[in-house]
Amino acid sequence: MRIVSVSATPTNVCIGDTFRIDVNVQSYAEDTHNQIMIGASLYNGTYISDSPRDIKVSIPPGSSTRGRYFVVPAGTSAGTYDLLVALWFDVNENNAINSGDLLLHMVSRASYINVCATDVKENISEIEGGRLSVYSVDGRRVERIEKKGFYFVVDGRKVRKVFKR
């Protein structure tokens, strides 16, 4: 069993965002395997995992695509990360990847996920006073931020995700 390809959507995310990972698997086995886990991590010198979303999947003989989600955890630094995705055989059948399990195959997509900074502001006027463009999460430009929620602030080529309480 091996990973043929991996893709993620979206590849530009911020802390707290969720992205989907699709894994194209080729199984040379004669039977379906039901004890396969898909694990994923981000890496840029430090590994960042999302273990609660490691998922057990059933892999039939031949080619198939399976997916899982990844939530960028609090404390993740802004920057570019490699995406590492692995197939594990859940030997102890506890639905979690641990030292008792067998790594079947792993791939890495270099510099694949971009994580932006997320600021939490009590007073959004700290941002509104500058020469910045502000957008709602649906992509509309906002002249004045009045409601609570997430916004994207663009300063030249830099983008920050801001949460107004």
Side-chain angles (χ1 to χ4, degrees):
M1 194 173 297
R2 69 182 185 90
I3 298 171
V4 176
S5 64
V6 170
S7 63
T9 307
T11 56
N12 294 306
V13 293
C14 294
I15 297 165
D17 285 352
T18 301
F19 62 93
R20 179 177 169 81
I21 301 168
D22 288 309
V23 185
N24 186 321
V25 178
Q26 179 67 44
S27 174
Y28 301 100
E30 292 180 10
D31 296 317
T32 297
H33 284 273
N34 298 315
Q35 297 298 324
I36 306 300
M37 301 282 301
I38 299 174
S41 296
L42 300 178
Y43 179 77
N44 73 348
T46 302
Y47 289 96
I48 298 169
S49 296
D50 184 24
S51 300
R53 273 157 278 289
D54 289 345
I55 186 171
K56 186 174 277 186
V57 294
S58 198
I59 304 292
S63 181
S64 61
T65 301
R66 298 293 183 264
R68 66 155 288 169
Y69 291 94
F70 192 103
V71 176
V72 181
T76 302
S77 299
T80 301
Y81 290 81
D82 298 343
L83 175 63
L84 291 84
V85 178
L87 295 177
W88 292 84
F89 182 73
D90 189 14
V91 174
N92 54 12
E93 298 183 11
N94 67 349
N95 299 321
I97 298 170
N98 53 43
S99 61
D101 296 329
L102 177 65
L103 175 64
L104 298 175
H105 192 230
M106 182 172 70
V107 297
S108 175
R109 299 280 315 255
S111 302
Y112 192 64
I113 301 293
N114 298 301
V115 177
C116 73
T118 300
D119 297 330
V120 177
K121 298 289 184 184
E122 292 289 339
N123 185 356
I124 207 73
S125 64
E126 295 172 27
I127 294 171
E128 290 178 309
R131 301 213 181 272
L132 308 170
S133 299
V134 180
Y135 297 87
S136 62
V137 292
D138 62 2
R140 290 181 292 118
R141 186 166 180 161
V142 177
E143 294 299 322
R144 182 158 181 77
I145 298 174
E146 296 175 1
K147 295 180 182 179
K148 295 179 182 181
F150 283 103
Y151 295 88
F152 291 96
V153 177
V154 180
D155 179 11
R157 295 187 66 192
K158 295 181 183 176
V159 177
R160 291 186 299 158
K161 185 175 181 182
V162 178
F163 179 72
K164 179 182 178 186
R165 294 188 208 197

